[in-house]
Amino acid sequence: MKEKHRGLAVFTALVFIFLLGPLVIIMATSFGDSTILKFPPEGFSLRWYQNIFDVDMFMETFKVTIVVALIGNLIALLLGVPAAYALSRGEFRGKGLLNSIFISPILIPGVVLGFTMLKYLVVKFDLPIYSSLLIGHVVLMLPFIIRVIASSLSNFDYAIEEASMSLGASRLKTFFTVVLPNIRSGLIAGVLLAFLESFNNVDISVFMTGPGVSTLPIQMLTYVENYFDPTIAAISVLLMVVTGVLMILIERLMGLSYFTKK
Amino acid sequence: MELLSLQNISVAYEKNLILENFNLNIEKGELISLLGPSGCGKTTTLRLIAGFLEAKDGKFMFEGKDYTRVPVNKRNFGFVFQSYALFPHMTVFDNVAYGLRLRKANKEEIDKKVHAMLEVVSLQGFEKRYPGELSGGQRQRVAIARALVIQPDLLLFDEPLSNLDANLRVNMRVEIRRIQKQLGITTVYVSHDQEECFSISDKVAIMNKGVIEQLDAPATIYKYPTTEFVARFIGFNNFIAIQQMSQDGAQVSLLGEQGTKIKLVHRSGHPITDSMKAAIRPDDLLVVTDSELADGVGGLTMDELDAGYNVITGKVKISTFLGRSYQYEVETPLGEFTVNREMETAFDHGAQVKLVLPKEKVVLVRTSV
């Protein structure tokens, strides 16, 4: 019995090393003093962190990434909340199909989605790159918003809404005074999750960037093609920290089990 | 003049017609229960009155006005749910005040009315608690206060006690009846619990397959069911199909299957039709030995007993001890009869017995399909 436990412990440790090892290496190299990415790092320096803020393209694309994630999130909320409500409360024909359509961006490979959007939004309809990027990210975020909010709604007794209506509130009023306060944590978790998806996205963004418009992850790709210094490691560490903090927030709000269960 | 009237209402869910040409009238100030097995349409009727459901056909009149298309939030009816349906993010005070705030009442008025209502449901001092911190019985009382504080024109209950334990259920139904009487508010109450409905209602409507089988005062239903369905529902287990019948005032004498001759006093005054059955409760049926047959048993003379009136011979098949009495399943040429008899004089399995049907206890009911 004890032997088995030891075996399991070793196995678990190996898995963790495999998963976290590269991240630790990146972290270590970001503090190195040499001008090329190197492990183990030589010396200690914060100059690569300084460099992030000196390269204009990083700052500009960071701004674009944030703006797209925030505005996209807002649009996804305006579309997703009513959709989630209709899907979880309504009884209508084709509900199952609609549900699948809304969830499909998660299932379809991002490259396919990105390429399709390039073909239609940019090439066919001749939309500006910036708007195309925004639309792409709304499509990307929508399933997460819908999924999380529908899940919150299904845990919320419909009789409570009926009670509010029987006391004189309209359906809309009921939504704002009774439903919204009770799905608040789901709403925030959905927003954070969608934000992360957008913020870290590469496969859709790569098709929707052009002269003057790019996102941080795409800029990082471009940077690695030309330079091999630890700036890229430093920026990765910052992104990891942001992602980690958001994930902890989501976990606190909803529990991550929300996204793994059907 | 009735307060509420449902006229030829039809309700369909997907493709199933749940109510068809349904009619119901309710008088002001009375508490009426809708009682029946699940799927009988009682909850549908209640939800239709509340406005949660729309009628496909027919008319819903309230205080002489057409309410058929009035939306739920404009009806001013109080609704109490089985699941309580309290607002989880609001305190008891805010839950109760919700309807008043929607009515733009001023702060003083809200304060006064909420406190008065919490007193009615004996929940003073609970204002700052959240629903999650209350017991089931307390939650249901908050729900009742919340529905009552808006001074609704009608109060609706949907199985409000089903989620409570047995003791609390009995206390709460007394409470509900007390509050309803105190405020004189017209109430429709849905339950599948017979005792609950009978104990609190002015009138009970027994429903089956979307139809009201009988609408009467509880005691009337208990004594004089009109249909076979109602009779079975309230515990008449024994039925005899009738072949011939003759009537002389209230005195009815009939010939049942297998040549059974029965004399009875028809007290209910329900019209006598062609397709009827005689029914009797297990408690009212007498089970005796030959030697116990004496003048006056079951209101019958010795001559009548000798002539075979109201007596069925049978054999004890199953006996079950119920505590105060025994229950016997007696096999007779007419099928099995259920009968109760006090425990002091028990019959053995297989004993030959005579069943006597007291004249005053046999009722005539319309055959249900």
Side-chain angles (χ1 to χ4, degrees):
Chain A
M1 202 58 199
K2 236 185 175 153
E3 280 302 301
K4 259 192 187 166
H5 275 293
R6 191 170 300 156
L8 189 65
V10 170
F11 181 72
T12 311
L14 283 175
V15 170
F16 269 96
I17 290 169
F18 181 74
L19 287 176
L20 299 179
L23 303 185
V24 173
I25 292 174
I26 292 282
M27 249 181 242
T29 48
S30 74
F31 293 107
D33 197 25
S34 83
T35 50
I36 51 165
L37 269 175
K38 207 174 187 185
F39 186 81
E42 286 165 5
F44 177 84
S45 156
L46 287 174
R47 64 179 167 126
W48 305 116
Y49 285 87
Q50 177 63 46
N51 194 37
I52 298 173
F53 298 94
D54 292 341
V55 177
D56 283 346
M57 278 315 281
F58 280 140
M59 295 322 287
E60 260 169 51
T61 55
F62 176 72
K63 238 188 275 164
V64 171
T65 311
I66 292 285
V67 167
V68 166
L70 289 180
I71 295 180
N73 222 322
L74 195 68
I75 299 172
L77 271 181
L78 290 176
L79 296 173
V81 172
Y85 189 85
L87 287 173
S88 75
R89 294 292 191 244
E91 286 296 336
F92 50 88
R93 230 195 258 226
K95 190 169 135 178
L97 184 71
L98 258 182
N99 213 355
S100 312
I101 290 175
F102 277 122
I103 300 305
S104 63
I106 296 182
L107 308 172
I108 297 172
V111 178
V112 176
L113 210 59
F115 177 69
T116 315
M117 286 199 199
L118 173 72
K119 186 105 173 55
Y120 283 89
L121 297 178
V122 182
V123 178
K124 191 151 189 196
F125 295 115
D126 204 19
L127 289 180
I129 292 286
Y130 212 126
S131 342
S132 305
L133 182 66
L134 193 58
I135 293 174
H137 278 239
V138 169
V139 171
L140 176 76
M141 287 190 254
L142 202 51
F144 290 94
I145 300 273
I146 290 181
R147 186 87 187 269
V148 176
I149 291 180
S151 172
S152 295
L153 281 171
S154 70
N155 290 331
F156 188 65
D157 186 3
Y158 184 56
I160 298 172
E161 290 173 56
E162 289 186 324
S164 162
M165 287 188 271
S166 79
L167 290 166
S170 65
R171 207 168 253 284
L172 197 66
K173 175 102 185 158
T174 297
F175 183 80
F176 285 106
T177 55
V178 173
V179 180
L180 216 47
N182 285 295
I183 61 165
R184 204 179 47 202
S185 54
L187 197 74
I188 296 171
V191 165
L192 292 180
L193 194 75
F195 183 87
L196 269 185
E197 272 308 307
S198 163
F199 192 76
N200 292 330
N201 182 270
V202 171
D203 38 18
I204 290 180
S205 301
V206 81
F207 291 97
M208 305 290 172
T209 48
V213 181
S214 186
T215 65
L216 185 56
I218 303 301
Q219 180 57 39
M220 286 165 70
L221 273 180
T222 319
Y223 190 84
V224 191
E225 280 168 17
N226 300 318
Y227 308 90
F228 206 59
D229 65 41
T231 308
I232 207 73
I235 211 165
S236 302
V237 170
L238 291 188
L239 290 186
M240 270 191 267
V241 170
V242 171
T243 307
V245 168
L246 289 183
M247 284 317 268
I248 290 169
L249 269 180
I250 296 172
E251 166 64 28
R252 282 282 160 79
L253 284 167
M254 299 280 287
L256 284 174
S257 61
Y258 249 91
F259 311 109
T260 47
K261 79 183 175 203
K262 164 85 185 146
Chain B
M1 174 73 188
E2 65 276 348
L3 177 76
L4 176 161
S5 114
L6 299 178
Q7 299 166 0
N8 301 314
I9 292 277
S10 296
V11 176
Y13 185 73
E14 283 168 1
K15 276 180 184 151
N16 304 322
L17 262 172
I18 296 171
L19 298 178
E20 194 176 1
N21 275 325
F22 184 86
N23 291 285
L24 173 67
N25 294 313
I26 298 172
E27 308 276 332
K28 201 173 173 73
E30 70 182 2
L31 193 160
I32 181 167
S33 291
L34 307 178
L35 172 65
S38 60
C40 72
K42 54 188 192 298
T43 298
T44 302
T45 308
L46 192 76
R47 293 178 61 80
L48 177 100
I49 294 173
F52 296 140
L53 284 179
E54 239 184 52
K56 200 168 136 267
D57 272 312
K59 225 170 162 187
F60 170 30
M61 300 296 290
F62 189 80
E63 285 181 323
K65 291 183 286 269
D66 188 347
Y67 262 51
T68 319
R69 301 274 170 252
V70 175
V72 46
N73 54 326
K74 300 270 189 277
R75 287 195 181 187
N76 199 39
F77 294 168
F79 200 103
V80 179
F81 296 82
Q82 182 178 351
S83 61
Y84 322 131
L86 297 178
F87 307 128
H89 62 300
M90 295 184 192
T91 60
V92 167
F93 184 93
D94 289 336
N95 263 280
V96 179
Y98 188 81
L100 294 173
R101 289 189 178 133
L102 286 169
R103 281 162 182 73
K104 309 259 185 281
N106 65 45
K107 202 178 166 303
E108 278 166 41
E109 194 189 342
I110 292 175
D111 257 24
K112 211 177 86 194
K113 284 190 174 170
V114 171
H115 285 119
M117 198 44 73
L118 286 176
E119 202 175 311
V120 171
V121 298
S122 327
L123 276 179
Q124 306 102 301
F126 285 82
E127 289 84 351
K128 292 203 172 68
R129 303 268 194 106
Y130 283 88
E133 305 166 336
L134 302 177
S135 70
Q138 289 167 339
R139 285 183 210 185
Q140 197 54 292
R141 277 186 284 165
V142 175
I144 293 170
R146 183 180 65 175
L148 279 171
V149 80
I150 60 170
Q151 290 171 301
D153 298 321
L154 187 69
L155 188 56
L156 306 168
F157 286 95
D158 185 15
E159 309 243 6
L161 308 181
S162 314
N163 288 353
L164 302 176
D165 63 47
N167 279 332
L168 204 51
R169 248 192 328 252
V170 174
N171 291 340
M172 277 300 291
R173 74 185 191 214
V174 176
E175 279 288 275
I176 288 177
R177 181 57 161 167
R178 177 183 65 78
I179 294 167
Q180 187 266 338
K181 281 258 183 193
Q182 186 183 334
L183 304 177
I185 183 164
T186 315
T187 302
V188 186
Y189 190 100
V190 160
S191 175
H192 63 269
D193 183 325
Q194 186 186 325
E195 194 187 302
E196 194 176 306
C197 285
F198 276 45
S199 66
I200 68 168
S201 308
D202 293 308
K203 278 187 196 159
V204 176
I206 299 202
M207 292 183 64
N208 179 33
K209 296 178 187 154
V211 173
I212 295 181
E213 295 258 341
Q214 185 170 6
L215 172 60
D216 263 319
T220 312
I221 293 183
Y222 192 78
K223 272 196 268 181
Y224 306 122
T226 49
T227 70
E228 188 184 342
F229 175 84
V230 174
R232 274 189 205 284
F233 196 76
I234 59 172
F236 284 76
N237 288 28
N238 309 305
F239 292 88
I240 300 164
I242 298 169
Q243 276 156 359
Q244 267 177 44
M245 195 156 39
S246 62
Q247 190 181 4
D248 176 17
Q251 308 288 325
V252 174
S253 87
L254 59 87
L255 185 64
E257 26 180 4
Q258 305 286 340
T260 318
K261 292 181 290 185
I262 294 168
K263 284 187 173 176
L264 64 99
V265 188
H266 184 58
R267 291 235 184 263
S268 68
H270 297 318
I272 291 181
T273 62
D274 282 344
S275 89
M276 295 199 102
K277 280 185 181 172
I280 187 164
R281 279 200 160 81
D283 280 332
D284 294 333
L285 197 55
L286 307 174
V287 51
V288 295
T289 56
D290 273 337
S291 58
E292 286 174 306
L293 269 187
D295 202 31
V297 168
L300 295 146
T301 62
M302 209 59 225
D303 287 343
E304 286 172 326
L305 289 171
D306 283 342
Y309 278 104
N310 294 28
V311 178
I312 302 166
T313 314
K315 199 171 81 178
V316 173
K317 208 176 138 205
I318 300 169
S319 96
T320 319
F321 182 55
L322 296 183
R324 288 226 315 269
S325 60
Y326 276 95
Q327 184 164 76
Y328 300 105
E329 296 293 324
V330 179
E331 177 111 54
T332 78
L334 297 167
E336 275 181 24
F337 278 72
T338 310
V339 52
N340 295 344
R341 183 174 161 127
E342 72 278 17
M343 58 178 290
E344 283 77 15
T345 48
F347 289 106
D348 288 329
H349 180 82
Q352 290 289 332
V353 292
K354 284 188 158 37
L355 300 175
V356 179
L357 295 79
K359 269 185 177 178
E360 295 275 354
K361 303 289 187 183
V362 183
V363 296
L364 292 173
V365 295
R366 280 203 314 276
T367 311
S368 298
V369 232

